[in-house]
Amino acid sequence: MIRRPTLAVVAEAAGVSLKTASRVLNGEPNVAAATRERVQDAATSLGFRRNAVAADLARGGFSRLVGFITGDLANQFYSALASGIERELREHGLQLLTASSDEDPAREGSLTGELLERRVGALIVTPAGADHSALQAEIAAGLTVVAVDRPAAGMDVDTVVIDNRGGTRAAVDHLLARGHRRIAFVGDEPHLWTYQERSTEFLATMRDAGVPDAERLHRSGAHSVAAARDLVVELFAAPDPPTAVLAANNRVTVGTLQALRDAPGGDDVAVVGFDDFELADLLGITVVAYDAVEMGRRAAELAVARSADPARPVELVVLPTRVVARGSGERPPR
């Protein structure tokens, strides 16, 4: 592994003191033009790279790095979140470091430690764990923490979420209005807050509609497309299969479509997916939609505001959802 030259090597090559080399490379004034040129030439020829984080901290400033721990970067939703965060941070001269927890609480904990070791000035996290109270000491020491997509249990921090319950209620009502009663719900891992919100509201809305056995068609554990596909295949192999499916996230929707493609009468089954996804409009998939990029932007905006004013009131931002009808959710029961 090739090691980059240190500041001391640059100073020696330029024939100046370490302090003078530091002042030049940090852009400080009151250095003779000839000396400045000599140091810069030495740094360029040696391939020296300034450690911006160390320089900021050494001068009593703050790190311009912001960490983002996401659930799964392979998921289009999290990519959109990261895009919104990065765009907003860029406007403030900040840079984003992104890592994926794969929805594993233990991995989230280790990634948090690694990002803190890199002296991030703020941490934006999509919580996978059930308790984040261990971060309270870091917050007390000046770390800015923002939760996005889900609240962070054990911490009173700025949070950006969507109206999960309202979106679920609207989706179920959309299917009920078209005559469906045997509506299946297929969701992610039960420990996730978003699953809990959507699952609870699904059962409550079905109960309010007078459907007594909604639990019979209720499934969880669909954390991948393949797992979702297998659960939907199981549902349609049972007696009295559903006439409609509410897929509780974008991966579940894709798995549902794969299962229905091969199921007898699958083309007649109504489908509403939570989360929009690429090609959903071309495929005619009715979805519960919201602006994931704006969600990320608002999270970054809160992080910047909190860093500037640590004493400001904690803020909860709830972004609206809406049902976008494209055809799949408007099929009547057969």
Side-chain angles (χ1 to χ4, degrees):
M1 185 175 179
I2 299 174
R3 296 179 62 87
R4 287 196 176 274
T6 63
L7 182 61
V9 172
V10 173
E12 182 179 358
V16 300
S17 69
L18 189 62
K19 183 176 180 179
T20 298
S22 175
R23 290 175 62 192
V24 170
L25 296 174
N26 283 312
E28 297 179 15
N30 302 321
V31 178
T35 302
R36 185 180 300 277
E37 183 177 357
R38 197 161 68 248
V39 171
Q40 291 172 338
D41 287 346
T44 300
S45 64
L46 291 168
F48 174 80
R49 289 275 184 185
R50 174 176 171 270
N51 187 331
V53 174
D56 287 341
L57 295 175
R59 292 198 300 268
F62 61 92
S63 170
R64 296 188 176 276
L65 299 178
V66 174
F68 173 40
I69 300 179
T70 176
D72 180 3
L73 274 176
N75 189 320
Q76 179 184 344
F77 163 68
Y78 291 114
S79 298
L81 265 186
S83 175
I85 293 170
E86 196 277 333
R87 291 179 192 179
E88 180 66 20
L89 293 180
R90 191 192 313 155
E91 295 295 318
H92 300 274
L94 303 173
Q95 294 180 323
L96 184 65
L97 293 179
T98 304
S100 177
S101 70
D102 293 326
E103 306 291 11
D104 181 348
R107 178 165 172 76
E108 179 192 303
S110 64
L111 287 172
T112 298
E114 291 172 15
L115 287 171
L116 293 179
E117 288 175 1
R118 284 163 174 75
R119 297 295 189 269
V120 293
L123 184 64
I124 300 173
V125 59
T126 301
D131 185 8
H132 295 78
S133 57
L135 276 174
Q136 288 290 10
E138 299 292 342
I139 294 173
L143 177 69
T144 292
V145 177
V146 175
V148 64
D149 187 43
R150 310 158 192 162
M155 292 193 303
D156 187 20
V157 298
D158 297 312
T159 302
V160 184
V161 296
I162 61 170
D163 184 7
N164 287 283
R165 292 195 178 227
T168 302
R169 189 184 320 113
V172 176
D173 285 343
H174 189 82
L175 293 168
L176 290 168
R178 281 146 185 84
H180 294 279
R181 305 285 285 180
R182 298 202 308 271
I183 303 172
F185 175 93
V186 184
D188 206 330
E189 297 292 350
H191 73 274
L192 297 174
W193 181 82
T194 44
Y195 165 87
Q196 294 166 9
E197 290 287 289
R198 297 170 192 179
S199 170
T200 299
E201 191 61 37
F202 168 79
L203 293 173
T205 306
M206 293 288 279
R207 184 170 55 249
D208 292 344
V211 180
D213 58 347
E215 291 85 355
R216 183 178 70 86
L217 299 176
H218 183 281
R219 297 292 185 274
S220 64
H223 189 55
S224 66
V225 170
R229 181 181 62 242
D230 292 345
L231 287 173
V232 175
V233 167
E234 172 192 307
L235 282 166
F236 281 87
D240 294 324
T243 61
V245 177
L246 173 55
N249 66 36
N250 53 9
R251 283 180 298 199
V252 175
T253 303
V254 174
T256 297
L257 295 176
Q258 290 181 355
L260 293 179
R261 177 189 58 195
D262 302 323
D267 289 343
D268 295 329
V269 176
V271 177
V272 177
F274 212 110
D275 304 335
D276 210 347
F277 62 96
E278 192 173 358
L279 299 183
D281 54 341
L282 296 179
L283 294 172
I285 307 302
T286 298
V287 297
V288 178
Y290 51 89
D291 192 338
V293 173
E294 174 64 8
M295 193 176 183
R297 192 196 69 78
R298 293 295 296 273
E301 185 178 63
L302 287 175
V304 171
R306 175 67 53 192
S307 296
D309 181 10
R312 69 193 300 271
V314 172
E315 192 170 344
L316 170 64
V317 176
V318 181
L319 297 181
T321 56
R322 67 190 189 282
V323 173
V324 179
R326 294 175 176 144
S328 70
E330 292 66 61
R331 299 165 186 154
R334 299 288 177 87

